[in-house]
Amino acid sequence: MKFSAPWRNKNTLLKQALLLLTLSSLSLTTLAAELDKSKMQFIGPLGENMLLKPFQTAHGDSIINNLLPQLQAPTASFSVYGKKYSWQPFNKVKALTLGGLQALKFTIETTRFSQGTLTLKGIEQGQLFINGELQQAEANSYTVALNNGTHSVIIIAQQVANWHNVAVDFVGKDSSDKITLSTSATKRLSAKQLFDAPTISGLSLAPDATHYITTTQRFDDKTANQAITLTELKNAQHQTLYRFESQQPSNLIWSPDNRYLVYLLNGELKQLNRKNFSIKTLASNFSEASGLRFYDQHTLLFSWSKSATSNDSLTKHYKGLQDRWSYARNVKHIYLLDTQSGFIKALSQGALTHSLEDFNSQRGKVLMSRPTMAMQASTHPETELVEVDIKSNKLTSWGTFNTFNLAKYSNKEVYVVAGPDFKNGAGRNLPDNVLANNYDGQLYLLTDGGNKVTALSKQFDPAINQLSVLNNGDALLKVTERDIQPLYLFDISKRRFKKLATGLDIVEQYSYSHGRNVEVLLSGSSASSPQQLKRLNLSKNTATVVWDSKPIGYANTQIPALEEFNFTNQHGVTITGRVYLPNNLDKSKKYPALVYYYGGTSPVTRGFTGRYPFNLWAANGYVVYVIQPSGSIGFGQAFSAQHVNAWGDHTADDIIAGTEAFLNKYNYVDRNKVGNLGASYGGFMTMLLATKTDLFSASISHAGIANLTSYWGEGWWGYLYSGEASKNSFPWNNPKLYSQHSPVFHADKVTTPLLLIHGDSDTNVPVGESLTMYTALKLLNKDVELIEYKGANHQIFARDKRFDWWSTMLAYFDKKLKNEPQWWDSMYPSN
């Protein structure tokens, strides 16, 4: 029998520990790699005769930040104090020391989330910028975390003893963390591009079409969540005549004689002379005014709100269902302002809010709408359309309606946009036993003081969203047509709809001139093309590009390819969709896929970007299938009616069948790595699908509905939306609909990993819906995560939150569908 002394065991353990430590160090050493100098660009010396380097001055950071945009620009050379400097390969640099400043530039490509350390060797004073953001160093080493994508690196060297000793090393956190240097002229699409690129946020064309106004909005790292906004007055040759920079106007309108531009600025009503650019204040104390319109040359119509007196009492006594809305007790009325004297008179009065619909100055009439009572206990509140005579103040009612969106004059007649059930079902194109979806906007003509109605769009499948009336009585319409939003012209004399050739999938905004030869200024985008500003000649039906964001915000950027994919469902109905493909697709490989849908009353439109960046997902290596299941508007009344009293029935069938058809066609998609996601009603669909199928390997629900009853009762608009989605059905007369279609009642059937995301201040779908599902799945020991965004409502708007939200979704799918948990774990560490 042998005995071992305690010290001997300890010595053996010590030796093993030292051996492991040595092996670990060797492993890290072997992972370290010097980045290829031939793939780096060098420029300098810049300002070689400078007295002091930036770091030796009190304004060093500002000096460097001023230079940075020029270094980032994709140019081969630039000038400093009249001397031209050119970028050259770093490995061609022979100098030992140089004066002034020097810079290195290179591009890193990653195919997955990668972490590690970048070390700058031989640079005694310098800064490292990745994607324009300054990195913080510790002894010339930078800890970096790079998302899947293209990353631009700028190194500004202020003091170097010997350029032969300068190098950049990278050490990955583990063996999976790898980067490559790219010399390609093209780069992958990034989240920053999609959010920060300039967009037209406002536009207006002068009545004579000689001038126009645009408001451009962009973001950058310096201003963070604060938009950089610029409003400009331009001529027909697109030259800037006047620029608002420090303060931004709103409610811009043009005088009928084309002499003035009137707008609101800091609670004052201003007038800009278009000829000499002098500015006159027309009225002060104009806060809460909106909806400015010229009634005639010297008279303005506008809406003026009066906010309810703030109440700091301990309790709130609700006056009705709408009183849950924070603005429910505010009242809005219509006023006239004489611009010459400043005199204002009211055109409406009382406790009911009045909304300005339209006016006809030749007839001396103003058209307004108002609820029939302040707080209405109805799923379809009544709206009264009223007309006031300016001279006599006589008020005439054109009728009271349960479904109403907007109204406009056409001479003595009135156009109305409303649901199919308007005026006892005047616009229905459905069998008698089928309930209509009144979110499906239809066009009508009211005559004889509202007693007679003519349905104009019964055979027109697109749903009508916006309406403008031209001088000849024709209507300019923005519609939802399948998954696009084009412009149509309605010829009132021929009762005919004509599609306008805008060349855009989605028309976002438009404005038109008032002459005989009508011009239309419009902005919009397409599924694979970022925003453009165009000018369309109505008579010729041709459009020309005025401004394009692509060369500004997306230069040398590879946009994922797009394919159309439709299939026929079990009822013989064509279900449309589209598929975004990863860059440099190799069909011999297997790819993960994401399936996106809404499923509510609207299709998922073809805008280039938005809250859900399909192009970005594809650029990150996913095949993205966007499906338009039964129930949405834009496909005809029979299609949209499938939404009523269904709560996911037809929608779920279409999504499951569509995904199967998609997988059968796209055989390079890995069937075991398919994720799905949706928001709001789409979030409800994600939860519901998790109880119906195991087709998906990971799911995300943003602001989804877990319990139809609690959403119906607690959401600010829950009972109103349910007026169509659950028409004539309530928890007491149709409990089966409310319970059996609620995902939480079937939580035990869920087998798919599920991420729930919700804003904690969501007033549309309260955060309790995700909490309810989370509670159920946690008690059932299911794979579920819940991420709550503080201060966020139904949508994620703020730039910092938006980037975090986009990253959260991709990181979750990377973990579940790519077996790459590092990104998720770095954002949400388990400890």
Side-chain angles (χ1 to χ4, degrees):
M1 182 177 292
K2 293 183 178 180
F3 295 92
S4 297
W7 63 266
R8 177 173 287 180
N9 285 337
K10 289 181 179 178
N11 190 42
T12 302
L13 291 173
L14 179 61
K15 288 180 179 179
Q16 291 175 344
L18 290 171
L19 178 62
L20 287 172
L21 183 61
T22 303
L23 289 173
S24 176
S25 300
L26 288 172
S27 176
L28 285 175
T29 303
T30 58
L31 285 174
E34 181 179 315
L35 301 185
D36 188 348
K37 292 183 179 181
S38 69
K39 294 182 178 180
M40 299 181 184
Q41 293 292 303
F42 171 90
I43 199 166
L46 308 176
E48 58 264 46
N49 296 321
M50 60 173 56
L51 178 65
L52 298 173
K53 300 290 182 71
F55 76 90
Q56 296 170 322
T57 74
H59 306 285
D61 290 344
S62 297
I63 294 171
I64 295 299
N65 288 332
N66 250 19
L67 179 63
L68 185 63
Q70 183 62 68
L71 297 175
Q72 291 175 307
T75 55
S77 62
F78 58 88
S79 296
V80 176
Y81 298 126
K83 183 176 180 180
K84 184 179 178 180
Y85 296 88
S86 298
W87 290 97
Q88 59 177 307
F90 181 31
N91 63 335
K92 302 294 184 183
V93 175
K94 302 301 182 183
L96 293 178
T97 60
L98 293 167
L101 301 182
Q102 301 86 46
L104 297 175
K105 176 164 66 173
F106 55 93
T107 299
I108 290 175
E109 283 284 348
T110 56
T111 57
R112 57 177 293 161
F113 178 77
S114 299
Q115 302 172 89
T117 302
L118 275 174
T119 301
L120 307 187
K121 295 182 177 180
I123 299 178
E124 298 166 29
Q125 285 287 343
Q127 290 84 27
L128 172 72
F129 296 85
I130 298 180
N131 300 326
E133 294 185 22
L134 178 64
Q135 307 297 303
Q136 298 301 318
E138 186 173 329
N140 268 14
S141 290
Y142 299 81
T143 300
V144 297
L146 304 173
N147 299 347
N148 182 0
T150 304
H151 307 275
S152 64
V153 180
I154 300 286
I155 299 170
I156 300 177
Q158 298 194 45
Q159 187 165 304
V160 174
N162 186 340
W163 272 98
H164 290 176
N165 296 331
V166 173
V168 184
D169 288 352
F170 176 75
V171 180
K173 185 176 180 181
D174 60 43
S175 60
S176 66
D177 295 307
K178 298 176 181 178
I179 66 173
T180 58
L181 265 57
S182 171
T183 58
S184 172
T186 61
K187 58 186 178 182
R188 276 187 285 169
L189 188 68
S190 71
K192 274 191 176 182
Q193 284 176 291
L194 291 174
F195 196 93
D196 292 355
T199 56
I200 303 292
S201 58
L203 58 83
S204 183
L205 183 64
D208 62 0
T210 59
H211 289 171
Y212 66 91
I213 282 277
T214 59
T215 299
T216 307
Q217 178 177 280
R218 65 180 179 86
F219 291 83
D220 66 21
D221 293 327
K222 295 176 184 176
T223 59
N225 290 341
Q226 184 64 46
I228 302 167
T229 305
L230 180 67
T231 300
E232 296 178 298
L233 171 67
K234 298 184 179 184
N235 60 19
Q237 290 73 45
H238 318 305
Q239 299 168 317
T240 299
L241 305 177
Y242 189 86
R243 179 180 289 120
F244 298 87
E245 289 188 271
S246 59
Q247 297 175 319
Q248 295 302 307
S250 64
N251 283 254
L252 295 123
I253 58 171
W254 311 84
S255 63
D257 65 0
N258 294 295
R259 293 178 59 191
Y260 302 106
L261 183 66
V262 173
Y263 54 91
L264 292 173
L265 185 64
N266 293 332
E268 293 186 325
L269 186 65
K270 301 282 190 178
Q271 177 180 275
L272 174 70
N273 187 307
R274 289 172 62 186
K275 185 175 182 180
N276 60 25
F277 306 116
S278 61
I279 296 176
K280 177 183 178 182
T281 299
L282 299 179
S284 299
N285 302 316
F286 229 57
S287 60
E288 297 191 277
S290 62
L292 301 177
R293 303 189 199 181
F294 267 101
Y295 176 76
D296 58 30
Q297 183 57 42
H298 301 294
T299 311
L300 286 177
L301 271 168
F302 67 97
S303 299
W304 214 351
S305 297
K306 178 64 176 176
S307 297
T309 304
S310 59
N311 188 348
D312 297 326
S313 66
L314 181 64
T315 61
K316 177 180 179 179
H317 181 200
Y318 279 81
K319 296 181 178 181
L321 290 178
Q322 291 91 341
D323 211 11
R324 70 185 75 185
W325 309 343
S326 60
Y327 51 83
R329 298 187 187 186
N330 300 345
V331 178
K332 181 173 64 178
H333 283 289
I334 312 303
Y335 292 80
L336 272 179
L337 165 69
D338 178 71
T339 59
Q340 294 180 315
S341 66
F343 188 79
I344 298 173
K345 74 171 185 177
L347 297 183
S348 63
Q349 61 178 322
L352 300 178
T353 281
H354 287 63
S355 298
L356 177 61
E357 297 291 335
D358 204 4
F359 65 93
N360 188 320
S361 55
Q362 293 180 344
R363 296 177 54 226
K365 306 287 186 181
V366 174
L367 197 62
M368 301 180 287
S369 61
R370 64 187 183 188
T372 55
M373 58 186 298
M375 303 284 180
Q376 302 182 55
S378 171
T379 57
H380 294 84
E382 291 186 328
T383 299
E384 184 181 17
L385 189 62
V386 295
E387 184 180 61
V388 62
D389 185 288
I390 293 293
K391 290 184 178 180
S392 66
N393 293 323
K394 180 182 178 182
L395 202 67
T396 304
S397 176
W398 277 67
T400 300
F401 316 109
N402 281 325
T403 166
F404 173 86
N405 294 336
L406 60 92
K408 298 284 185 183
Y409 278 120
S410 175
N411 299 320
K412 293 184 179 181
E413 303 167 319
V414 173
Y415 281 117
V416 170
V417 175
D421 287 333
F422 180 73
K423 291 283 282 188
N424 300 315
R428 283 176 53 90
N429 185 17
L430 293 165
D432 292 340
N433 63 339
V434 176
L435 295 173
N437 183 344
N438 283 300
Y439 288 106
D440 202 331
Q442 306 294 311
L443 184 64
Y444 302 90
L445 201 61
L446 279 183
T447 54
D448 190 24
N451 293 316
K452 182 180 178 182
V453 61
T454 303
L456 302 173
S457 60
K458 272 189 176 184
Q459 307 302 322
F460 184 65
D461 284 344
I464 296 161
N465 306 328
Q466 295 179 29
L467 164 70
S468 302
V469 183
L470 307 181
N471 290 346
N472 63 358
D474 291 348
L476 194 59
L477 306 169
K478 180 182 171 182
V479 307
T480 295
E481 181 178 25
R482 297 181 177 270
D483 59 354
I484 66 173
Q485 291 185 347
L487 289 181
Y488 271 83
L489 180 69
F490 177 73
D491 188 322
I492 192 170
S493 62
K494 297 178 181 178
R495 296 291 201 269
R496 187 172 64 190
F497 293 90
K498 175 185 177 182
K499 192 172 185 176
L500 299 181
T502 65
L504 300 170
D505 286 344
I506 304 297
V507 174
E508 297 160 356
Q509 304 170 80
Y510 70 90
S511 178
Y512 62 98
S513 66
H514 295 170
R516 178 173 295 179
N517 188 15
V518 177
E519 297 277 327
V520 182
L521 187 70
L522 54 98
S523 66
S525 67
S526 298
S528 298
S529 301
Q531 194 192 53
Q532 292 181 324
L533 179 69
K534 292 191 173 187
R535 188 159 176 160
L536 182 141
N537 183 290
L538 199 60
S539 61
K540 295 179 181 179
N541 197 16
T542 56
T544 57
V545 176
V546 173
W547 176 88
D548 190 349
S549 67
K550 187 171 184 178
I552 305 171
Y554 302 92
N556 303 317
T557 300
Q558 190 175 2
I559 306 299
L562 180 71
E563 294 182 358
E564 305 304 315
F565 175 68
N566 305 331
F567 77 98
T568 303
N569 71 8
Q570 60 182 330
H571 304 292
V573 176
T574 299
I575 303 299
T576 63
R578 58 187 187 271
V579 177
Y580 299 79
L581 301 175
N583 300 328
N584 307 315
L585 181 70
D586 182 351
K587 294 184 179 181
S588 67
K589 297 180 179 180
K590 288 289 187 180
Y591 289 83
L594 301 179
V595 179
Y596 184 84
Y597 40 76
Y598 174 50
T601 55
S602 303
V604 182
T605 56
R606 300 171 72 94
F608 180 73
T609 187
R611 297 190 301 276
Y612 293 88
F614 311 125
N615 284 299
L616 181 65
W617 297 345
N620 274 263
Y622 291 94
V623 179
V624 182
Y625 172 36
V626 178
I627 182 175
Q628 314 290 354
S630 301
S632 69
I633 62 173
F635 297 82
Q637 291 187 36
F639 196 92
S640 66
Q642 295 294 306
H643 182 71
V644 179
N645 272 321
W647 279 105
D649 279 344
H650 311 298
T651 310
D653 291 343
D654 286 348
I655 293 171
I656 293 170
T659 302
E660 289 285 4
F662 159 73
L663 292 173
N664 289 336
K665 178 177 179 180
Y666 293 86
N667 53 19
Y668 48 81
V669 170
D670 190 334
R671 284 179 167 268
N672 297 316
K673 295 182 178 180
V674 181
N676 65 314
L677 70 162
S680 195
Y681 196 99
F684 156 75
M685 285 307 309
T686 295
M687 294 186 196
L688 187 67
L689 285 162
T691 71
K692 289 178 173 286
T693 181
D694 58 2
L695 183 61
F696 303 105
S697 300
S699 304
I700 296 179
S701 167
H702 177 87
I705 302 165
N707 186 341
L708 301 187
T709 304
S710 54
Y711 161 70
W712 165 82
E714 295 177 13
W716 275 17
W717 305 277
Y719 76 99
L720 289 173
Y721 183 80
S722 299
E724 292 300 319
S726 314
K727 188 175 288 184
N728 304 328
S729 294
F730 301 95
W732 54 86
N733 69 1
N734 194 351
K736 183 177 179 181
L737 174 70
Y738 281 81
S739 62
Q740 294 309 302
H741 288 72
S742 295
V744 72
F745 282 80
H746 305 279
D748 58 320
K749 301 182 180 71
V750 173
T751 59
T752 305
L754 178 62
L755 169 62
L756 303 167
I757 303 176
H758 225 115
D760 71 351
S761 302
D762 195 331
T763 54
N764 189 341
V765 178
V767 66
E769 295 301 315
S770 285
L771 292 171
T772 295
M773 198 66 177
Y774 182 73
T775 300
L777 295 178
K778 270 297 183 183
L779 290 174
L780 289 164
N781 200 30
K782 304 289 186 178
D783 186 346
V784 62
E785 303 276 1
L786 173 61
I787 302 297
E788 201 172 271
Y789 280 87
K790 297 178 180 179
N793 203 314
H794 196 53
Q795 302 173 22
I796 308 295
F797 287 117
R799 182 177 184 266
D800 58 349
K801 289 188 176 77
R802 178 70 66 88
F803 287 157
D804 188 277
W805 178 50
W806 282 352
S807 294
T808 292
M809 290 187 287
L810 274 174
Y812 183 77
F813 282 132
D814 279 3
K815 177 179 180 178
K816 297 295 185 180
L817 304 180
K818 293 183 178 180
N819 300 319
E820 298 174 6
Q822 290 85 356
W823 193 1
W824 176 267
D825 292 344
S826 73
M827 295 184 72
Y828 304 105
S830 57
N831 57 352

